[in-house]
Amino acid sequence: TVHLKDVADWKNLALKVLLDGEKTKFNVIMDNDIDLGDDQTMLGDGGWAFYGTFDGNKHTLTVHYKTKYPQSKCAPFISLKGTVKNLTIKGEMEAAPESASRAIMLSGITTSPGSTCYIDNCVVDATLSYDGSLSYIGGFVAYGQKEVYLTNCLFSGKIKVSSSTENNISKFIAGTGLHGAIYNIKYSLCTGTTTGGTLDNNKGVNFYKVFEYETDGARQLPSSSVTQITADQLTYGKLSLSLNE
């Protein structure tokens, strides 16, 4: 078990993940809110995924990422093989424009190839921005693979893309039409916004008790699967009950 109290602990964990090479299943618990400040350390950066369980313990991780070319991924969890739970992610994530041959992946969490991943009771309240083309930008997951279970989650952040050329964006999971992967989103709410880009096709996504509040109606998750709500309904007890059945 690894306890995280500050930025130094976060950096040490990232180094352990890199050196371990997925040989150890980590059990991580956050003991405090952590603001990374200018530190650009991301878990899973260097080829090996974070393998195990990361329990935010109802704490907040605040990031201020600004990647440089040619880094193609930007997320606190660049690669996940396991579970992230009870965590709030705040701050800003800005990806550098890429070459046309490589896609940017920008998100709160990016899953590892061939891995079934679980994201439970998490909030992404960050601003994700990108000025370029060819990207997968998801509030929670960019370019998910195999199976992803997203439960009891809230996206209340912002996705801002200046170019609409081949920018695949989603408030929850982007790149859903790839690799025949399966995505299960349950008991979750979206109050965040998107600007620019092309909405993901939501292929392979199973929605259950998912709600969306959209201020201008310009960007919406599929109305056949996701219930659109009003500002007044956000304060109704009925919505809370539906999210906790």
Side-chain angles (χ1 to χ4, degrees):
T1 299
V2 178
H3 287 266
L4 302 185
K5 296 180 175 61
D6 50 30
V7 178
D9 288 342
W10 173 266
K11 294 174 69 174
N12 287 336
L13 174 62
L15 181 59
K16 288 178 181 178
V17 171
L18 176 63
L19 297 177
D20 187 79
E22 299 178 30
K23 296 175 183 177
T24 302
K25 192 173 183 179
F26 288 93
N27 181 36
V28 176
I29 300 173
M30 282 182 67
D31 292 336
N32 299 315
D33 292 344
I34 298 175
D35 188 330
L36 296 185
D38 293 334
D39 189 83
Q40 301 293 298
T41 304
M42 307 175 193
L43 292 189
D45 191 5
W48 298 109
F50 170 83
Y51 173 43
T53 298
F54 187 102
D55 185 354
N57 200 20
K58 299 183 181 180
H59 288 296
T60 298
L61 175 69
T62 303
V63 301
H64 307 276
Y65 291 145
K66 190 170 184 178
T67 65
K68 298 179 180 179
Y69 178 84
Q71 188 171 350
S72 61
K73 296 181 181 180
C74 182
F77 298 82
I78 278 187
S79 188
L80 170 69
K81 187 177 181 181
T83 300
V84 176
K85 62 183 182 180
N86 307 321
L87 176 66
T88 295
I89 297 172
K90 290 190 174 185
E92 309 86 32
M93 291 173 250
E94 181 182 347
E98 267 289 353
S99 64
S101 61
R102 299 182 66 192
I104 278 288
M105 284 175 274
L106 175 64
S107 63
I109 301 164
T110 298
T111 60
S112 176
S115 300
T116 298
C117 297
Y118 302 87
I119 304 168
D120 183 48
N121 198 32
C122 290
V123 176
V124 173
D125 189 25
T127 298
L128 289 69
S129 57
Y130 178 60
D131 183 11
S133 62
L134 194 63
S135 66
Y136 297 96
I137 303 175
F140 279 91
V141 176
Y143 205 87
Q145 300 183 52
K146 196 173 181 179
E147 284 187 280
V148 176
Y149 291 85
L150 187 75
T151 310
N152 304 319
C153 289
L154 166 67
F155 177 72
S156 53
K158 298 178 181 179
I159 297 176
K160 300 194 299 184
V161 181
S162 61
S163 172
S164 62
T165 307
E166 296 185 75
N167 276 315
N168 190 355
I169 63 175
S170 172
K171 296 174 181 178
F172 285 117
I173 301 174
T176 59
L178 302 170
H179 308 293
I182 299 173
Y183 311 91
N184 302 279
I185 305 177
K186 298 181 179 181
Y187 303 113
S188 294
L189 172 65
C190 177
T191 61
T193 60
T194 61
T195 303
T198 301
L199 289 176
D200 184 79
N201 60 19
N202 292 284
K203 184 178 180 180
V205 179
N206 299 312
F207 293 98
Y208 182 75
K209 296 286 184 179
V210 177
F211 301 86
E212 179 186 32
Y213 168 67
E214 177 58 61
T215 55
D216 58 12
R219 298 289 180 182
Q220 297 184 343
L221 294 166
S223 58
S224 60
S225 305
V226 176
T227 302
Q228 306 294 324
I229 59 174
T230 65
D232 287 340
Q233 286 175 308
L234 281 174
T235 65
Y236 288 178
K238 186 177 180 180
L239 176 60
S240 296
L241 288 173
S242 296
L243 286 166
N244 289 279
E245 288 179 348

